[in-house]
Amino acid sequence: MFKSHKPGSDDAWEGIVEDKSRGMVDGANMYHFIKLRRADGQSMKVRIDRGLWKSISIGDRIVKEPGSGPAKA
């Protein structure tokens, strides 16, 4: 199995996009991921929806507030 990297509804974070990737990790569905560099220096890999993935570029700022999905800041 794989780790989904899907953010929970109560999660909150923000960071700068370092990398974008996509893949069919389960063999049937296309998943879109970004690698973020947070302000504290840690990196994290996050699964996001296709629309957001297509609208962002490396270097963009992404914010995730509790109760909402990730969004371009």
Side-chain angles (χ1 to χ4, degrees):
M1 283 313 239
F2 65 95
K3 184 176 178 182
S4 76
H5 300 284
K6 186 174 181 180
S9 63
D10 292 333
D11 292 348
W13 42 258
E14 63 181 78
I16 305 297
V17 177
E18 288 189 326
D19 191 27
K20 293 171 50 174
S21 62
R22 62 185 181 160
M24 296 179 67
V25 294
D26 64 0
N29 299 298
M30 181 66 71
Y31 294 99
H32 298 83
F33 301 97
I34 55 173
K35 182 179 175 186
L36 290 176
R37 173 69 60 184
R38 297 187 335 195
D40 62 6
Q42 291 185 337
S43 288
M44 62 188 290
K45 187 175 184 178
V46 180
R47 190 175 110 193
I48 60 173
D49 66 17
R50 180 179 181 253
L52 178 59
W53 188 86
K54 289 182 80 173
S55 71
I56 62 174
S57 301
I58 294 174
D60 287 347
R61 182 177 198 78
I62 303 294
V63 176
K64 164 70 172 83
E65 297 292 336
S68 65
K72 187 175 177 180

